Amino acid sequence: GRVLDAVDFANGIETPLAGMPVRLRDSALATVTDSDGGFSFGSLARSSDVVLIEPSAAGGPGGYIATSRVVRITANQIRDIDPDFLLTPLTDGCATVVAGTPTVLTGTASGVTVTVPADSVQTSAGLAYAGEICLGSLPQLFADPGLPQDTAACHIYALAAPGAVFTRALTIRAPNADLLPETSRLELWRAGGAGASFRLAANAVVDAGAATVSGQFLPAGDGALFTFLPQAPKTVASADMPTGN
């Protein structure tokens, strides 16, 4: 497989990410990406496994949100993992978690605001987390392979706190990129954990004044990609169109 910077890739530039820790979860094998962003594992039995790219693992460079993907392994065959793994850089602002105080992050470029309730972030050992939470964002209409087929998101955002566990829902407020009228209903989708596909996390709404949209969700693990999507139109049956119109 190969690991690239997602923002540069969207702008037509292939920037390989070297030194990224890579694991096969079930096979308990680990390696790091080379200077071309590539990695490989050998002598594997036929199976399925989960590839984990973990920038903030021991020895990793950090600065990007982790990702994962389920892969099928065929014995005695060399196979490329396609498409490449695209990592989102966490360059949109960070905030340090302080005990007893809500953590508020505002993206310097994206304008998204994330509010983390006080004392709701822990380490995997259950202790108070005292590190940073960081934001990132992808270019407008980025074609993330984890989105449902034929779905385009105006903006995809990233949030990560390496080694943390979120115990309460975060409040997300973002610009109303779809220019929907106030009180319109949306959906908040997130990607994180094995598979890295986007899944519906919660309902959301266009705020009063229609400048922003907001919703709440609980990240799985120490971070997530997330986006707001308009709700799909609903069909309503009528006498002349019994299947809906």
Side-chain angles (χ1 to χ4, degrees):
R2 197 163 178 237
V3 183
L4 305 174
D5 182 292
V7 172
D8 285 352
F9 185 84
N11 292 320
I13 303 168
E14 289 196 357
T15 301
L17 300 179
M20 290 290 176
V22 183
R23 284 194 299 128
L24 278 179
R25 186 190 65 186
D26 299 333
S27 302
L29 297 174
T31 187
V32 295
T33 56
D34 59 24
S35 60
D36 193 41
F39 66 90
S40 63
F41 295 97
S43 303
L44 299 173
R46 180 179 179 181
S47 64
S48 63
D49 211 324
V50 178
V51 177
L52 303 167
I53 315 292
E54 302 173 307
S56 296
Y64 288 82
I65 190 169
T67 191
S68 61
R69 189 184 304 167
V70 176
V71 296
R72 293 193 177 277
I73 299 168
T74 303
N76 303 317
Q77 288 190 15
I78 297 175
R79 297 185 62 184
D80 290 329
I81 302 175
D82 186 62
D84 294 328
F85 290 84
L86 303 178
L87 298 193
T88 305
L90 298 168
T91 55
D92 203 26
C94 297
T96 300
V97 177
V98 178
T101 304
T103 304
V104 180
L105 302 90
T106 300
T108 55
S110 66
V112 66
T113 298
V114 178
T115 302
V116 184
D119 303 322
S120 66
V121 190
Q122 302 176 349
T123 67
S124 58
L127 303 175
Y129 181 80
E132 285 189 327
I133 304 176
C134 294
L135 287 172
S137 62
L138 290 166
Q140 189 172 12
L141 296 176
F142 180 83
D144 192 291
L147 286 168
Q149 188 175 6
D150 299 324
T151 299
C154 280
H155 292 285
I156 298 174
Y157 311 100
L159 177 141
V165 177
F166 294 90
T167 63
R168 293 167 59 191
L170 318 180
T171 299
I172 313 294
R173 180 165 280 108
N176 181 9
D178 292 299
L179 303 179
L180 297 171
E182 62 181 63
T183 73
S184 295
R185 294 293 180 179
L186 299 92
E187 296 174 341
L188 180 53
W189 288 62
R190 68 163 175 83
S197 295
F198 277 84
R199 293 177 173 83
L200 177 62
N203 291 321
V205 67
V206 178
D207 301 318
T212 58
V213 300
S214 62
Q216 294 184 322
F217 81 103
L218 181 66
D222 61 3
L225 295 174
F226 58 94
T227 186
F228 291 91
L229 296 175
Q231 288 186 338
K234 294 181 173 60
T235 59
V236 178
S238 62
D240 58 335
M241 298 187 68
T243 60
N245 56 20

